[in-house]
Amino acid sequence: MSSYETAERYFNRAAEVMGISDNMSKLLKTPQREVKVQIALEMDDGQISTFIGYRIQHDKSRGPMKGGLRFHPEVDAGEVLALASLMTWKTAVVNIPYGGAKGGISIDPSKLSPRELEGVTRKFVDEIHDIFGPDTDIPAPDMGTNAQIMAWIMNQYEKYHGYNPACVTGKPVELHGADGREEATGRGTAIVTRSALLKMNKPVEGARIAIQGFGNVGSFAAEILHEMGAKIIAVSDAYGGIRNQDGLDIPELMKFIKEHKKVEGFLNSENIDNATLLAADVDVLIPAAIGGVLTGENAHDVRAKLIVEAANNPTTPEADDIFERKEILVIPDILANAGGVTVSYFEWVQNRQHFKWEIEEVRKRLEKIMVDSFDRVWKIADEKSVSPRIAAYILGIGRVGRATVLGGI
Ligand code: GLU
């Protein structure tokens, strides 16, 4: 099943519970605009390469559209559309004044030199600068992109439109970025993990956790959950995984990864493969890497009682059904990883006000939004006897639907 079909399946389930008409469902699901561009680049060896870039703007009824840019070889129109729609529901779940969008380039950034990466980024902006901006659509980092790439985007955009730091978020802190943006997705994940554990009558202190993916999201989630007193038993990255039944020394692992660029070989740990990590004997499993990792094939092996989706779209509907039958609680992506876009919103607000917030302010406001959003989703799940995923969709779709009708069709 494609990622779009997955996202649509969840939407349809929530729409059914809400009693939304087919016409309204169609209106809410259909994207505003889909843009596909060619990016031609002269590589370092003098050869010409051609890449395809996308920006899909899904919904703008609640504000300017918002969402990341993904540089990954598997980027295609279907995946970008699915992720754009997730952004619409995500910004609505945490109630920040944005719609949803997503973009990307079908490219493997690890195979490009820094000069080539900068070139492809700037050329992409040349193609789409007219359709994004601080009041229309604001890109941000996602898989394969980072603060440096956001700085190039801002710089290239400003060549056309003049000084405008709010045209993109997730920038370096030295160049109009917000303190706390880099850690924000992982911090938000940690906060909702603690809230969900509390509902299960289990304190975060001593909770045993496995994290798949040790990039920007997984590593910060690990660090912050470790600070909260949890035991991170196993982690993995694209090259392999490691485990220590007594808990990994996360501050040391953060130093280790900076130097070695992978988790394997870390002190006091045994190597494990991906399947072993997903089936680890833990309280919480956090998928924080790519989509579609929990499937009908491996869902039966999961032993965690709580899954917190730090990645976008990590669970297929088949796996989701199995988790529901096995009473494994799943906190969905559109809530669990919404900390990133929330602090993107704070960055945009600071850029527009030309006033920088202290990191304590950023963390305090993020904490409140994540805790309140979790509680609201939980309440809907309780009242309507649905999973937290369907409850989050009900909350998001309800807000977008009401804004659409109030604005006038
Ligand atoms: N790419 C992140 C996400 O999927 C962040 C988007 C943003 O900050 O706009 O939520």
Side-chain angles (χ1 to χ4, degrees):
M1 183 179 288
S2 72
S3 34
Y4 184 67
E5 284 164 342
T6 301
E8 194 175 31
R9 178 93 72 99
Y10 296 141
F11 176 98
N12 289 344
R13 279 188 198 163
E16 206 181 300
V17 178
M18 298 169 84
I20 292 185
S21 71
D22 288 351
N23 291 347
M24 190 65 187
S25 282
K26 190 173 173 192
L27 173 68
L28 293 175
K29 281 194 286 192
T30 310
Q32 290 283 331
R33 173 153 63 177
E34 301 181 68
V35 174
K36 178 177 171 184
V37 296
Q38 181 205 61
I39 306 158
L41 186 74
E42 189 183 319
M43 309 301 277
D44 291 347
D45 63 4
Q47 297 291 318
I48 304 292
S49 284
T50 305
F51 306 103
I52 301 296
Y54 303 89
R55 187 71 186 171
I56 299 190
Q57 299 173 328
H58 181 258
D59 191 274
K60 59 179 180 189
S61 56
R62 299 182 59 263
M65 293 169 282
K66 185 87 191 81
L69 277 181
R70 179 170 285 205
F71 286 5
H72 192 272
E74 274 162 33
V75 163
D76 62 31
E79 188 197 42
V80 178
L81 174 55
L83 296 170
S85 72
L86 288 187
M87 288 310 302
T88 298
W89 318 130
K90 192 185 300 187
T91 53
V93 165
V94 287
N95 211 8
I96 54 176
Y98 287 140
K102 200 84 171 195
I105 304 178
S106 178
I107 200 170
D108 183 350
S110 69
K111 299 221 164 81
L112 299 189
S113 70
R115 193 200 69 89
E116 290 168 340
L117 192 59
E118 179 174 349
V120 91
T121 304
R122 289 188 185 275
K123 283 221 151 178
F124 186 45
V125 175
D126 289 341
E127 296 301 328
I128 65 164
H129 72 89
D130 269 341
I131 61 146
F132 80 96
D135 292 314
T136 47
D137 174 9
I138 305 122
D142 197 81
M143 199 184 290
T145 56
N146 56 24
Q148 171 63 79
I149 292 175
M150 301 307 119
W152 291 328
I153 291 174
M154 181 188 77
N155 183 270
Q156 195 67 8
Y157 182 87
E158 289 181 340
K159 288 184 181 159
Y160 293 97
H161 303 277
Y163 174 73
N164 220 323
C167 71
V168 61
T169 60
K171 300 177 293 292
V173 284
E174 301 86 345
L175 199 61
H176 307 292
D179 277 321
R181 172 61 186 86
E182 212 186 352
E183 63 169 36
T185 312
R187 180 169 292 276
T189 300
I191 293 166
V192 296
T193 303
R194 186 188 55 199
S195 289
L197 282 167
L198 271 180
K199 296 286 182 198
M200 297 163 77
N201 290 322
K202 202 166 169 42
V204 67
E205 292 86 7
R208 293 165 60 82
I209 299 179
I211 302 179
Q212 188 209 28
F214 209 69
N216 181 49
V217 181
S219 63
F220 279 113
E223 192 176 37
I224 294 157
L225 282 162
H226 176 85
E227 275 168 25
M228 289 176 175
K231 276 193 168 134
I232 314 301
I233 303 298
V235 301
S236 68
D237 57 23
Y239 311 100
I242 55 170
R243 176 171 64 188
N244 179 336
Q245 297 289 7
D246 297 324
L248 295 157
D249 184 339
I250 297 298
E252 278 305 313
L253 182 58
M254 296 294 275
K255 287 185 213 152
F256 181 87
I257 191 105
K258 278 204 181 88
E259 192 181 331
H260 299 268
K261 310 282 176 234
K262 54 180 185 173
V263 296
E264 263 186 0
F266 181 59
L267 201 78
N268 294 334
S269 69
E270 52 171 329
N271 290 348
I272 54 170
D273 60 17
N274 189 45
T276 311
L277 181 127
L278 295 177
D281 185 14
V282 288
D283 302 306
V284 189
L285 173 64
I286 302 184
I290 51 170
V293 292
L294 294 165
T295 65
E297 274 85 66
N298 62 19
H300 283 292
D301 303 329
V302 170
R303 285 193 278 173
K305 281 274 155 265
L306 169 66
I307 295 171
V308 184
E309 296 183 338
N312 284 314
N313 243 341
T315 309
T316 66
E318 294 75 29
D320 209 50
D321 289 344
I322 295 168
F323 295 146
E324 209 163 337
R325 280 203 299 279
K326 287 178 69 183
E327 292 185 2
I328 295 175
L329 189 63
V330 181
I331 305 303
D333 45 11
I334 55 173
L335 170 63
N337 68 32
V341 72
T342 301
V343 178
S344 272
Y345 166 55
F346 298 162
E347 181 173 324
W348 179 80
V349 168
Q350 292 171 68
N351 290 157
R352 308 204 84 173
Q353 296 183 334
H354 308 283
F355 181 76
K356 197 164 170 60
W357 304 359
E358 301 289 331
I359 186 141
E360 291 75 23
E361 176 82 9
V362 170
R363 288 181 178 160
K364 194 178 82 196
R365 287 182 183 269
L366 172 65
E367 168 103 21
K368 178 161 171 42
I369 287 183
M370 295 310 295
V371 169
D372 289 354
S373 305
F374 177 91
D375 288 345
R376 203 170 269 260
V377 167
W378 193 266
K379 195 159 168 255
I380 296 171
D382 221 29
E383 281 168 6
K384 302 212 179 288
S385 298
V386 293
S387 66
R389 185 189 310 282
I390 299 307
Y393 271 83
I394 290 173
L395 179 60
I397 294 169
R399 282 179 172 152
V400 176
R402 281 191 296 281
T404 304
V405 172
L406 286 166
I409 291 167

